[in-house]
Amino acid sequence: MALKKTSAKSGGQKQRSLWAEVWRRLKKNKLALVGLGFLSILVVIAVGTIVIDFVTSQSVYNNYVIKQNLRMRLQGPSWQYPFGLDEFGRNILLRMLWGVRYSLFMGTFAIVISTLIGGVLGALAGYYGKFADNAIMRFMDILLAIPSMLLATAIVAALGTSLTNVLIAIAISYIPTFARTVRASVLTVKDQEYIEAARALGAGDSRIIFKYIIPNSMAPLIVQATLGVAGAILSIAGLSFLGLGIQPPTPEWGSMLSGARSYIRDGWHITVIPGLGIMLTILALNVVGDGLRDALDPRLKT
């Protein structure tokens, strides 16, 4: 029993030291830390707005975020309204803050779904090979032949414009990317000696896939997921801009851009500020993804 406890303890320490080493190398990338800090602020803002809506029964949302004041429409930035007012006299700062949850959380949730489904399909294709590999990957090739934005647009147009349908459309469009990423990692991992040892000890295929192969294929999957969130946010904003995503008066950044495009000559701020929000969020996710890629690359270990 003592030997078993020691082994479990040493295994836990090894896992902690692995991620501690990743964090140590990630900290050397100052740009990635800035992006991580910016994303942390966005998460705090998103959670804060959800808590405010819950505590106030959405009275703040109804009375300040979506309330219109046509007499003050298109007012520029000022001390009272730092981001100005939009084409309906609504506070752009509050709408930007309340819009964080839709862009960030929806993009993250869609990529989580894509990662789970694509990861399992890629693992099955890479592990079993032959017929399973051909069947799964040829279907992925068909999906990859269609541009992700066009595929998402077609799905939303067929299912209808709603929050759930947007998530489904974005998730489906990114499944092939994660399936291919995991399949490539599985093809490298499945012939390792510890996999052969687990198979010799009588471990079943499902145990080998979910306990040994997928955990050891997580590094490229984490990096791809981080970069995928950036693409998903851009896709959500694009669908909303086209009128197929989140509908007004919900303060989603792409929807804000779509409504403001007709007034760009009357008020520069109503398009520039939502555009900057989208750009900075995607930039932060990209630099964090690049930092994670370098930190998780085993060839950089010393």
Side-chain angles (χ1 to χ4, degrees):
M1 285 295 290
L3 186 61
K4 184 176 180 180
K5 290 181 179 179
T6 304
S7 176
K9 184 177 180 180
S10 62
Q13 291 176 347
K14 183 177 181 181
Q15 185 178 10
R16 288 195 299 271
S17 64
L18 170 64
W19 291 107
E21 176 66 17
V22 171
W23 173 244
R24 184 187 67 82
R25 279 187 275 143
L26 182 63
K27 288 192 296 184
K28 294 181 179 180
N29 191 329
K30 303 301 181 184
L31 192 59
L33 287 182
V34 173
L36 189 61
F38 181 77
L39 293 176
S40 300
I41 294 173
L42 292 183
V43 171
V44 172
I45 292 173
V47 173
T49 57
I50 294 173
V51 171
I52 291 173
D53 282 347
F54 178 77
V55 172
T56 64
S57 299
Q58 289 197 328
S59 63
V60 173
Y61 178 80
N62 294 327
N63 295 329
Y64 296 96
V65 179
I66 64 173
K67 186 176 181 180
Q68 300 181 8
N69 186 358
L70 296 178
R71 293 183 179 180
M72 301 179 65
R73 60 194 297 268
L74 299 177
Q75 179 176 310
S78 61
W79 287 109
Q80 185 178 2
Y81 304 107
F83 287 177
L85 303 178
D86 66 5
E87 67 275 16
F88 294 106
R90 297 172 297 194
N91 193 325
I92 295 180
L93 174 59
L94 293 180
R95 290 180 63 77
M96 288 292 295
L97 295 178
W98 257 255
V100 171
R101 71 174 84 169
Y102 299 103
S103 296
L104 190 63
F105 286 172
M106 282 183 60
T108 302
F109 188 67
I111 293 302
V112 168
I113 297 174
S114 299
T115 302
L116 293 176
I117 299 176
V120 172
L121 291 176
L124 293 175
Y127 182 78
Y128 288 107
K130 297 181 180 179
F131 175 78
D133 188 16
N134 285 327
I136 294 174
M137 297 317 297
R138 295 300 76 76
F139 180 66
M140 295 298 108
D141 289 341
I142 294 174
L143 294 180
L144 283 173
I146 307 173
S148 59
M149 188 62 185
L150 181 60
L151 178 61
T153 302
I155 294 173
V156 172
L159 298 179
T161 56
S162 69
L163 183 64
T164 302
N165 292 340
V166 170
L167 289 176
I168 293 174
I170 299 299
I172 291 176
S173 64
Y174 279 88
I175 286 175
T177 302
F178 293 101
R180 281 194 166 277
T181 300
V182 174
R183 175 182 177 272
S185 299
V186 170
L187 290 176
T188 304
V189 172
K190 73 172 185 177
D191 293 328
Q192 298 294 323
E193 294 180 354
Y194 62 88
I195 301 296
E196 296 295 334
R199 190 178 290 112
L201 292 173
D205 290 342
S206 60
R207 180 179 178 85
I208 292 175
I209 291 174
F210 290 102
K211 187 174 181 179
Y212 299 106
I213 291 182
I214 291 182
N216 285 282
S217 305
M218 288 300 293
L221 192 61
I222 291 173
V223 175
Q224 187 62 49
T226 305
L227 299 175
V229 172
I233 291 175
L234 191 60
S235 297
I236 292 170
L239 288 174
S240 298
F241 184 83
L242 295 174
L244 297 174
I246 301 174
Q247 301 298 308
T250 304
E252 196 276 328
W253 294 347
S255 178
M256 291 172 64
L257 275 176
S258 179
R261 58 183 173 177
S262 300
Y263 303 91
I264 187 171
R265 294 184 178 180
D266 301 316
W268 60 268
H269 58 286
I270 62 176
T271 54
V272 170
I273 292 175
L276 280 176
I278 297 172
M279 185 196 72
L280 291 176
T281 302
I282 293 176
L283 177 62
L285 286 164
N286 284 335
V287 297
V288 170
D290 290 340
L292 284 174
R293 180 193 59 198
D294 296 338
L296 291 168
D297 192 345
R299 293 173 296 180
L300 299 179
K301 291 182 179 180
T302 58

